[in-house]
Amino acid sequence: MTERPGLADATADDEGDLGPKHTAFAAHFRDPIYDDEGDDFAPFGNDEGWDLVVLTARRADELDGSTTLAQIDPEWFGDEAEVAAGLDEDDADMINVVIGAGFTLLRLTGQIDDFGRALVLRALDARDRVYGPQPQTERMRADLLSFG
């Protein structure tokens, strides 16, 4: 794997489209779901998650260790109360956006802030309410809880 300019400690993803993997992400989030482009329950397998990671990877050189979900996608995360309400109402699009953005942030920067982590965990809980428990959701929750 090669260094990607402008992204400290990141490696280029052999798949290309999903963007670089920060070394901290690559070391901890090792399950195949983190590279799965076709599983709707994987972070990047649904339309929202795919769009977020692909578009954000194109500007990966603008991201650093202090990047937040709001910086990943200001349109979706500009109003924290609206995001929380969408999760409380089990809004499937909001659930996928929060999960996709959180794992995009982790993949590209190797970190997530406390607020972002809490939102992603709430989104995973909301996904369980909407679709029932899924092995992918359990894997993401366990990996996120044990990260950092």
Side-chain angles (χ1 to χ4, degrees), residues 55-131:
L55 294 173
T56 307
R58 291 180 186 159
R59 57 184 184 84
D61 59 336
E62 300 171 15
L63 310 177
D64 61 31
S66 66
T67 301
T68 65
L69 293 180
Q71 292 164 295
I72 293 292
D73 194 330
E75 183 177 324
W76 279 95
F77 295 99
D79 184 345
E80 293 175 3
E82 189 176 319
V83 174
L87 294 177
D88 290 342
E89 296 168 6
D90 297 338
D91 178 329
D93 287 341
M94 181 64 75
I95 291 166
N96 287 338
V97 166
V98 171
I99 293 169
F103 283 97
T104 292
L105 181 63
L106 284 159
R107 181 183 186 93
L108 299 176
T109 68
Q111 61 81 36
I112 191 167
D113 59 293
D114 291 338
F115 177 73
R117 180 190 304 258
L119 270 182
V120 174
L121 290 169
R122 284 183 65 189
L124 292 168
D125 291 344
R127 181 178 275 175
D128 281 347
R129 289 191 304 270
V130 173
Y131 299 104

